[in-house]
Structures are given as C-alpha cells and as structure tokens.
Amino acid sequence: HELNIDLCYIGLGKVKNRPIFEYGMEQYTDEWGVKFRKVEHTSGLNYEVYDPVLGNATVVDLENYPWPDPHNPELTEGLEEKARNLYENTDFALIGKFSNSIFEQAFYMRGFEQILMDLSLNPEFVDALMGKLVEIALARLRVGLKACGKYIQCVRFAGDDMGQQNGPLMSPRMFRRVIKPQFARYYKEARILIDQYNPKIKIMAHTDGDVYPIIPDYIEMGLDVLNPVQPYVAEMEHDKLKAEFGDRLSFHAAIDIQKVMPFGTPEEVKAEAIKTMRMLGPGGGYILAPTHYLQADVPPENIIALRDAVLEHGHYPLK
C-alpha cells in the first residue's frame, strides 16, 4: 500500500514434489525438465537455460514425454479462499496468472536457436510442441478459473516474447504461418472458458520488444490488454500505438527499465511517467507500471518518484 499498487496477481500453487529451487544454487531442473544454471552479472545473478531437454526430439517423442500434470489438486489448494479474501477485504484488481507460456516454453525445451530454425525447416514439430503446451495452458486456466474465476477481473497469459529491440523475432509472415494458428486456438478456447466462469474477465498478455507489426493479429485473436508496451524500441512510439489501437486495446506498463528507471534521476523518472500518462492515458485504457520487474540496479528514490508522479498527475481529467 505504500507504493499505491492497484493490481494483485494470484496464481496456482506449487506441487509438493516439484524440484526445489533456492536462490543462489548453481543449477536446477524444473518440473518441465528444463535445466537452468546460475549466471552472475554486475547487477546480480540470473538463471539461464542450458542443454535443451527436447533438443533432439521428434513429434513421436512429445507423446511420451513426462509433462507436468495440470490437474494436480495441489495446484489449487487454498486458492479460492485467498482470492475471496482479497476480493472482499481489499480494493485490488485481481489478475489471475494460471497458464504456462507457449512459444517461450517451447524454446526453453527445444533451444532458442533450434526452434528458430525449426520455424522454417521443421514447422510440424513446432506446431506439435506448441499444441501440447496449449493443451496444458488451457487445462491450467480451467482449474484456476474454477477455483476463483468469480473473484478476478483479468487473466494474464504467461510471457511469450515476440519482439526484440529492432523488430519482431521472426517475420510477421512466419508468425502468421507457424505460430499464430496455435495462439489463435489458445485465445479462442480461453475466451470460451473464461465466459463460462466470468464473462467480465479481460485477457492480458505479455510480449516484449517491437511487436508493432503483429499487434493487429493479437487484437484479432481476442487480446484486451497489451503488456509491456516497451518504449524506445523500433516502431513502438506510444502516441502512435494510442492513435492506432487505443480504441480496441488497453496498455499496461510502458515505463522504461532499461535506462530511465535504473540510470535516470528522480526528476527524469517523474517526467517520463508524466509524458507516458499523457500519451497513453487520455480516455482511459492505460495501467501504469514498469515494463518488467524492477532490477537490483534501480535506486529506491526512483521507485518513489514513479509513485509520486502517479499520485500527483495520474487523476482524471488528465491535464
């Protein structure tokens, strides 16, 4: 409450026998069989994928793979009670994070370079792998909605980054040919599920970088809220996005964490927040936040400056 945060994320619980992760350990393997190892940076440490578990797999291998069980009752233990308590006793907007990623989980398991080659050389494998991940994501969404759908206002699909600093990770044509069919199926069936439990729920999705060329595809599939609306990358000018898509899409985040939040002064952070609110806020449809988790290199005074900018300038009618 000190930071005046409006959103609260709630998600599925952890299975008791899942692999244990402790921050600082050298390496670990998660419940998907994905292997991570510690990589240290000047601003802290991170965990990166190595030795892709499906690097040499075939479509047949996918049928025999030990996938996580999305129906394990341990995933929803206490979830309804937690959501009801937040709904009844706080003024948070509740965001359900239930499902796994699709494209990102695929390249965690296949390997990033390999799956980019697969898009051209082995699209049948990409389709089969993402199809399996869509099935699991929809099952996880269903159990989450069944437990607490009546209390939440939005579901956020797990991150599926489609952009980099200078453009999408693949051509829009490749996206539409190989990736979009499974994504479209996912959004369509997710919307049907959501409407069964709470038709008022909106769909939010995270996709980093310059995704301007494929934003119309996301709108067509049924996206309501785009995150993180990353600034200072090619083609993602906020005033342009607001003008072209603001009548069909809400925007979440948009505050730069690459330069402004870690390296700007509190005054520069405040100016950035005001500028962003003026671009994306008119008429509604903007939820202000950093474009990702704040990293260890962000000074505390810049976090306070961001909060203060919203408290002082983030009220309608916007000046």
Side-chain angles (χ1 to χ4, degrees):
H1 284 288
E2 289 298 323
L3 293 176
N4 286 80
I5 292 170
D6 301 301
L7 307 184
C8 181
Y9 291 98
I10 55 174
L12 302 181
K14 296 180 180 179
V15 177
K16 294 182 177 63
N17 66 351
R18 70 182 291 181
I20 296 173
F21 169 73
E22 294 180 357
Y23 195 70
M25 64 195 309
E26 291 299 319
Q27 59 188 40
Y28 77 102
T29 303
D30 71 7
E31 68 270 28
W32 298 86
V34 176
K35 299 176 183 178
F36 295 85
R37 61 184 169 196
K38 182 173 71 173
V39 178
E40 300 204 35
H41 304 277
T42 54
S43 61
L45 59 86
N46 196 12
Y47 285 86
E48 298 181 359
V49 178
Y50 75 102
D51 190 20
V53 66
L54 295 178
N56 298 310
T58 66
V59 172
V60 174
D61 295 328
L62 299 179
E63 293 304 315
N64 302 317
Y65 191 76
W67 300 100
D69 179 10
H71 302 288
N72 190 315
E74 295 173 8
L75 292 172
T76 54
E77 283 183 8
L79 180 58
E80 181 178 5
E81 294 78 9
K82 177 182 178 181
R84 182 173 64 245
N85 178 57
L86 289 166
Y87 181 81
E88 293 177 350
N89 299 306
T90 76
D91 59 359
F92 286 127
L94 303 183
I95 314 296
K97 293 178 70 174
F98 307 129
S99 54
N100 51 277
S101 60
I102 308 303
F103 180 68
E104 283 200 20
Q105 189 63 49
F107 72 65
Y108 286 162
M109 303 181 79
R110 181 66 163 174
F112 188 58
E113 292 181 5
Q114 182 61 52
I115 207 158
L116 290 181
M117 290 190 290
D118 287 337
L119 291 175
S120 289
L121 303 176
N122 197 359
E124 295 81 8
F125 181 86
V126 179
D127 185 68
L129 176 54
M130 291 199 306
K132 185 64 181 179
L133 293 168
V134 165
E135 291 173 12
I136 296 172
L138 289 168
R140 288 172 60 92
L141 177 62
R142 180 187 291 275
V143 299
L145 289 169
K146 184 177 181 181
C148 65
K150 59 186 174 183
Y151 300 119
I152 66 176
Q153 287 73 58
C154 186
V155 294
R156 175 175 163 173
F157 291 167
D160 273 305
D161 292 343
M162 288 294 145
Q164 55 181 323
Q165 298 291 111
N166 299 314
L169 289 173
M170 71 289 296
S171 71
R173 180 184 176 191
M174 181 68 79
F175 171 81
R176 291 167 188 142
R177 191 172 73 208
V178 184
I179 295 174
K180 186 180 176 181
Q182 287 294 349
F183 270 34
R185 171 195 164 207
Y186 177 35
Y187 276 71
K188 180 180 179 181
E189 296 189 22
R191 185 73 254 174
I192 293 171
L193 271 178
I194 291 165
D195 288 345
Q196 290 175 8
Y197 291 94
N198 183 353
K200 294 181 180 180
I201 289 174
K202 302 298 184 183
I203 295 176
M204 177 193 293
H206 169 97
T207 183
D208 265 334
D210 173 21
V211 292
Y212 171 76
I214 57 175
I215 288 176
D217 297 274
Y218 276 88
I219 295 172
E220 177 191 308
M221 291 189 296
L223 183 66
D224 299 304
V225 186
L226 176 66
N227 166 285
V229 204
Q230 187 177 344
Y232 309 120
V233 297
E235 303 183 285
M236 293 290 284
E237 296 89 351
H238 289 160
D239 52 349
K240 179 173 75 172
L241 298 181
K242 181 72 172 181
E244 290 192 31
F245 308 119
D247 59 337
R248 294 168 288 164
L249 200 61
S250 293
F251 304 102
H252 176 242
I255 301 297
D256 175 55
I257 68 158
Q258 290 181 302
K259 295 180 181 178
V260 178
M261 288 303 296
F263 305 121
T265 65
E267 292 74 23
E268 288 169 336
V269 168
K270 204 167 186 178
E272 182 78 4
I274 293 169
K275 180 186 76 171
T276 306
M277 285 188 282
R278 287 175 177 168
M279 284 187 179
L280 293 176
Y286 176 47
I287 307 165
L288 184 145
T291 53
H292 208 284
Y293 301 122
L294 293 176
Q295 306 296 306
D297 56 1
V298 176
E301 54 267 27
N302 283 3
I303 303 174
I304 300 304
L306 181 62
R307 177 201 66 180
D308 290 348
V310 178
L311 291 178
E312 295 169 20
H313 300 274
H315 300 279
Y316 285 100
L318 293 176
K319 296 178 182 178

